[in-house]
Amino acid sequence: MHYWSETVGASVFLDRDKIGQVEDSVIDPVNKAVEGFLLERKSTEIRYRFLPFTQIKEIKRDSIRLNSKSGIIVLAKNFTKSKILIRELMKKPIIDEKGEWIGRVVDVAFDENNGILREIIISGSVVDDLWLGRKNACAGQG
C-alpha cells in the first residue's frame, strides 16, 4: 500500500531524466482508484500536466519511475469536473449516518500496483491521534 502523503512532492523520472514532481493525485470516483498524478507547472506552463497511472513502472516513497512519457498530457481546462483531486479531500469532515462527526480526512492509501483506493485515514484530533491512533476507513473495494 502507498499513501498520498508519500506521493506529493515525489520526483518523476524516465530512466535518469527528471520529468517533474507530483503535485496532486486524480481520483476516478466511479472506479474508486487513482487515475493518475498532476505534475507541477513549470514557469511557462498555464495548465497542469497529467501522468496516467498506467505509465508508472515503479512507485517508491520519494520517486516514481515511468515506462515512457508518451502518455503525459497537458490537461484541458475542464478535466477535473468529473474527477476528484485528493488535495480537495484533505481536512474534509467525515460524518456518520447518524450525523455524528467522526473526524477529518488526513491521508488516503492506494494499491501501488493498480491505483485502487484501499483506506481513508481519519484524524479525530491531535489528542485522539496520540492517545488512540488515527482511524482507518475502508475505501470501498477489496
Side-chain angles (χ1 to χ4, degrees):
M1 219 174 350
H2 200 77
Y3 293 89
W4 175 79
S5 59
E6 296 173 344
T7 306
V8 173
S11 297
V12 178
F13 294 94
L14 177 61
D15 298 323
R16 293 180 185 217
D17 298 330
K18 184 175 177 182
I19 306 300
Q21 283 186 296
V22 173
E23 190 165 307
D24 207 344
S25 302
V26 178
I27 296 175
D28 177 352
V30 173
N31 295 315
K32 297 181 182 171
V34 174
E35 188 173 323
F37 302 100
L38 294 185
L39 300 180
E40 92 289 358
R41 291 181 289 192
K42 298 189 179 185
S43 59
T44 59
E45 296 174 333
I46 296 171
R47 296 202 172 95
Y48 286 101
R49 294 173 293 154
F50 176 73
L51 165 63
F53 200 89
T54 55
Q55 293 296 319
I56 295 173
K57 183 178 191 176
E58 175 184 51
I59 298 180
K60 291 187 177 178
R61 188 174 191 154
D62 61 349
S63 66
I64 295 176
R65 304 239 173 249
L66 303 180
N67 290 317
S68 79
K69 68 178 195 178
S70 63
I72 296 175
I73 60 168
V74 175
L75 291 181
K77 197 173 191 178
N78 62 352
F79 176 81
T80 58
K81 283 189 177 185
S82 63
K83 310 295 180 191
I84 298 171
L85 300 179
I86 290 183
R87 189 177 303 273
E88 293 172 357
L89 293 177
M90 295 302 115
K91 307 293 183 196
K92 294 284 184 186
I94 303 293
I95 310 293
D96 69 10
E97 60 277 350
K98 297 176 190 172
E100 299 287 322
W101 187 82
I102 296 173
R104 296 192 184 279
V105 177
V106 292
D107 211 346
V108 175
F110 61 92
D111 187 315
E112 64 268 11
N113 297 312
N114 56 24
I116 293 175
L117 299 181
R118 295 295 181 200
E119 294 179 344
I120 297 171
I121 315 304
I122 302 168
S123 172
S125 69
V126 173
V127 173
D128 284 352
D129 291 353
L130 292 172
W131 190 257
L132 303 170
R134 289 186 166 165
K135 302 170 190 121
N136 297 351
C138 179
Q141 291 188 2

